[in-house]
Amino acid sequence: MTTETKGLILAGVGGQGVILASMIVADALVRAGHDVKQSEVHGMAQRGGSVFSHIRWGAGVDSPLVGQGTAEVLAAFEWAEAIRSVGYVREGGAVVADLRTIVPPGACQDRRSWRRGYPDVDPELFLGRRVKSRLIDAAATASELGNVRAANSVILGAVAAFLDIERRHWEEAIEAMVPPGTAEVNLAAFRAGSEASDARIPGRAPEPRGYAGPHLIDIRHDWCKGCDICSRVCPEFCLEVDPRGRLEIVDHQACTGCRLCELLCPDFAISVTAPTEQTPKPSEAVTNHG
Amino acid sequence: MSSPAAVSIGTTPTGADRRVLLSGNEAVAQGAVEAGITMAVGYPGTPSTEILESIGDRRDIDVRWSPNEKVALDVALGASLGGARALATMKHVGLNVAADTFMTSAYTGVGAGLVIITADDPGMHSSQNEQDNRAYARMAGVPLLEPSNSAEAREFTRAAFELSEEFDTPVLVRTTTRVSHNRGLVEPGPRGEPPVAGFRADPSKYVMIPGYARARRPVLLERLRRLAEYADSSPFTQEFGSGTDFGVVTSGISHHYVREALPDARILKLGMSYPLPMERIRRFADSVDRLFVVEELDPHLENDLLAAGIAVEGKAFFPQEGELDPDRVRRGFVAAGVLEPGPESEPPPVPMARPPLMCPGCPHTPPFLALKRLGAVVTGDIGCYTLASLEPLAAMDTCVAMGSSIGMAVGMAASGGAGAPVVATIGDSTFLHGGVQGLAEAVYSQADITVLILDNGTTAMTGGQEHPGTGFTLDRTETTPVDLVALCRALGVKDVNVVDPYDLAATYNALEAAMATGGPSVVITNRPCVESPTKVRDRAYEVIADACTACQACMTIGCPSIVWTDEFAEGRRKVRIDTLTCTGCTLCAQICTPLAIVPVPEPVETGHDH
């Protein structure tokens, strides 16, 4: 009995509509006559964090959570979330991944290497796991149909191609759950998704030129009156005016050479120069921006 | 002994499949509606919030948010004594706040049925701790029901009201995140008839002065004895499976994980896990060679069984921290030698962290940008703004409990060791929940602190609930809002200033001035949440790529709408604004020295999806 129970994971980013999409899947499964449990986490996850929904169905479902390596399908609404959740998919199962990338601000903080902390859009990252895959550009498909907001139905269509649920149950569920007036475009998006072939993988972004080394900040203290403008604008918090009004360099290593302090100093008391020789490699540099 | 027939669980079969998918929270609401409640009251807190929201605006039920859980339980207890079946909902840490009333309500007993929902959060998905609130049932001497799925959430809640009246006691129903936020099939029943009763004055029962309370204590203990007797034969205690090699005692969601790992195992499932059906457990233990307890978090059942002289194994194999799941339960039974090791599937390497973020345009962001520049020691509180503790803002030093920011600031300043001015940051809902008394203390002790009240006009973290400061009730009826400025002044704060947080310079100056003031000062920000009650969307901003010097000043905000591009200036990455998610708050434009951030030429479409 419980051995027949199957699992599905939906993964995305807060605000993408993962929960509504998983309610549609759960509703379709109920219409197809299954016992269903669908589990998710609210709260903090709404605020742009990762969002997961687990769905299990069968004759009688016990655990609402899908075990590692047991899911029939992973439906990923975002690229990095596909990578994060691919371990749930069983051998021979399927990954439906939207090629959409949502790069969080935390992945744009390394001001040494200037590399994004975001995985490449490279299917090899999960195809090594012996799973089937369908890589789609749901937003593009939905836009062609006239409403980019139907993108999630494109993803559900692609998921349906890997599941044994009658099409009418999917269509009834979509009609029942999508916002009023959008059933038609969502049904069209669902059909387009179920017939979709793999989308083109975008080319790789150019590699950043790498770390240029901390710049040299030179202060002419006899010209400085301690007005505090430079320390207030420094994005790296390199400068500080001490209680006696004297400008100090508190973090020389963090300077990226933006020269805001130099450009805004009313007294021309600061100059910033690029490092010239012996530029340390990123691994040797002091890092404050992990 | 009370008749077990007094409490019915399960659904009367109707022949037709009328089952619908309901979350555990919706199912609790459904059960309470069927029980004939006329009062439902709570304070928002994940994972409990949707219970009251799904009861919604029924005319025949008084559904309301209270300023905090203590007040909510006071309201519910008062309603119960007045003859209304009452439901009080809260998250696990909310019961800490309500504990004072809870403990003594076990002495007074109830009028009409009184049920308290505690929604625990093992794994701390949205909480500051993962306390196991089963301990409260024992501490108070109140019966505890633990549903394991949506169907039981409905049945147990409904039955809890019958139990409450039958035994004249409040009843604690404990859900966990995986029950509250799991949808499962439920067959709803009809709305129950509210009881027709009024308040019957009985000072010896309801006035808990020592003389009367002493007489209630033996009543409580005798009630617990009768409840234990009832538990032995009650429909809440169920047996599954067959075999004599081993048996498992479990409750709540853990029951389903055990069934998943061992579909045919002998299981004694405790729907009522306090007081324990000890005779039933003893018989079960005697019928198997080896006995396990599988329970999430603390070893409550295990310790009780051991204390009763029953040999049992539990936490030696099943972790005490975090959520259980089918994989963890399976591994436990493998370690115990009950299961053969199966293939272990290694999860892939994590691509990157994706922590929750302050929304684009969040009015809480600029004050923290200012506080970071000002070098304040910041005692924080519970709400969206706690996210300001994360990079790149990294502008919060403490976060402990609802309202703690102010008292902690007082203590930090008094310690003499803060090393910088101390600022307490607290949201409007949290301030009215538990911050007001802290401010009274700050005035009383003339503490050298600044209190920054981040008034965004809603309870944002839990999804945008009304509170006494918003001017609206749960069903959006207009009411008198608490005036925060007048309240702070009335408490005795002389230096109270309101500032527009979208004006970074004004915010910086207001905070700087307040921090320089001796004694307590208050700064209140006044922009609404950009997501609730209405979505705030102004004209989006964009980056003129040629003008961007890649100085990274805008990247210090941590705005999700600003990302790096593949264009470089002197080796630094230039930035781009996602105009679909930008709300037009102007913060980045205010700190962009090269003036590279400007409004988009035409207003973009509003009300879009992200």
Side-chain angles (χ1 to χ4, degrees), chain B residues 43-86:
Chain B
Y43 183 79
T46 312
S48 72
T49 312
E50 300 86 1
I51 299 171
L52 293 194
E53 290 181 328
S54 62
I55 296 175
D57 53 1
R58 295 181 64 109
R59 297 226 169 264
D60 55 349
I61 301 177
D62 190 341
V63 190
R64 49 170 81 185
W65 294 124
S66 274
N68 68 30
E69 294 85 354
K70 160 81 162 58
V71 177
L73 186 51
D74 290 336
V75 170
L77 180 59
S80 160
L81 300 194
R85 283 190 168 184

Side-chain angles (χ1 to χ4, degrees), chain B residues 177-197:
Chain B
T177 300
R178 292 297 170 192
V179 175
S180 305
H181 286 169
N182 171 63
R183 285 183 188 80
L185 289 168
V186 177
E187 181 164 346
R191 164 81 166 135
E193 279 300 312
V196 186

Side-chain angles (χ1 to χ4, degrees), chain B residues 384-428:
Chain B
C384 293
Y385 44 92
T386 315
L387 298 171
S389 63
L390 304 177
E391 290 283 350
L393 285 173
M396 187 177 289
D397 297 297
T398 69
C399 166
V400 177
M402 293 287 287
S404 291
S405 60
I406 303 178
M408 287 182 70
V410 171
M412 180 79 80
S415 76
V422 184
V423 178
T425 61
I426 186 166
D428 46 342

